[in-house]
Amino acid sequence: MTPMGPEREHYWRVQRMARAAGADPAAVWAAGGLDAGSWRALVERCRGCPWSAGCARWLARAEGTDHDGPIPPPGACVNSDALTALARHTTEKDRPE
């Protein structure tokens, strides 16, 4: 079993991964498409993910390059499907820049 990572670090990691995927969790929350339990589950899954080092490298590359539009989360991300769904719930006007 992978030890749980620091909650604050993984909260922000999920935020960064969501942004890269084109999701705006706050906008989805405001629209009723995300509740506290679901958000907490995303962070908790991230905290226990064995791909933490790979995630940090992936995010650094994703945030350090110019790209047109969102980047799908990598398959190794334990929240890949959930973040992709959040991105679908994020309207074009709500997409992070």
Side-chain angles (χ1 to χ4, degrees):
M1 175 181 232
T2 303
M4 298 293 272
E7 189 170 359
R8 179 172 290 183
E9 176 184 322
H10 289 272
Y11 170 88
W12 288 111
R13 186 170 289 181
V14 173
Q15 286 279 9
R16 292 170 58 205
M17 187 66 78
R19 181 177 302 280
D24 182 344
V28 176
W29 177 289
L34 182 66
D35 61 31
S38 298
W39 177 254
R40 177 109 181 125
L42 285 168
V43 174
E44 288 302 302
R45 278 193 304 271
C46 182
R47 289 181 66 206
C49 181
W51 190 63
S52 187
C55 178
R57 288 189 301 272
W58 187 90
L59 282 167
R61 282 193 306 271
E63 293 170 342
T65 56
D66 285 335
H67 48 82
D68 289 333
I71 305 169
C77 173
V78 296
N79 287 317
S80 179
D81 292 341
L83 293 170
T84 299
L86 279 178
R88 281 195 303 268
H89 282 61
T90 301
T91 64
E92 282 299 318
K93 70 177 181 55
D94 294 327
R95 288 224 188 274
E97 295 183 26

